[in-house]
Amino acid sequence: MSPKGNQSANPKRNKANARERNRMHGLNHALDELRRHIPLSSWNLNSSFPIINYHHTMMMTTTTTTSSSYRTNHHHHQTKLSKIETLRLARNYLILLTEIVHYHQCYNRLLTGQILAYGLGQQSLNQLATLLNIDGSIRSLSEPCRQVQAIFAKYSII
């Protein structure tokens, strides 16, 4: 094996590594863009379902709900979602929007939270519970009701 510092020893390997780095940079950029457009980015809490704020910010800047306690809590609890959590939340958000648009469903805060929370990890559940201002434990988000289970079963997600 060549020493670690000798990077020109295998030009094919160097090119392959560079391609992989570029591929990963592209994937990470795409996930960052997706994170900007999913519900944990910002919320309109006056609504029964999430409205995306398309400005890249940790606080709501263009919606009517701008209480200082919300902005403070939102700022302190916002962390970057992992790749898999980003994909799961995006999937859940698409399912929620599909249910709203195609089936003319309107969900209360808890059902919206349960749909968005389906399959998410503890840290994301904590963020979601804080953003939705759901009273009690996050158990109400992590244990979906039958209606939410039926929605995900319809899309073959169990």
Side-chain angles (χ1 to χ4, degrees), residues 87-140:
L87 294 172
R88 285 179 180 146
L89 185 56
R91 174 204 62 197
N92 295 353
Y93 189 50
L94 290 172
I95 287 171
L96 174 64
L97 294 177
T98 300
E99 290 293 307
I100 292 168
V101 172
H102 287 190
Y103 303 106
H104 307 290
Q105 295 293 324
C106 186
Y107 298 109
N108 64 34
R109 192 178 301 251
L110 180 58
L111 283 174
T112 297
Q114 286 184 355
I115 292 169
L116 292 172
Y118 198 87
L120 296 182
Q122 189 70 35
Q123 186 176 11
S124 298
L125 287 174
N126 289 336
Q127 281 183 277
L128 199 55
T130 300
L131 290 172
L132 286 172
N133 205 16
I134 293 183
D135 295 328
S137 70
I138 62 165
R139 174 180 263 171
S140 59

Side-chain angles (χ1 to χ4, degrees), residues 2 5 9 25 42 52 54 57 69 83 86-87 92 105 113 122 150:
S2 64
H25 285 305
S42 62
I52 297 175
Y54 288 100
T57 180
S69 64
K83 293 174 184 176
T86 299
L87 294 172
N92 295 353
Q105 295 293 324
Q122 189 70 35

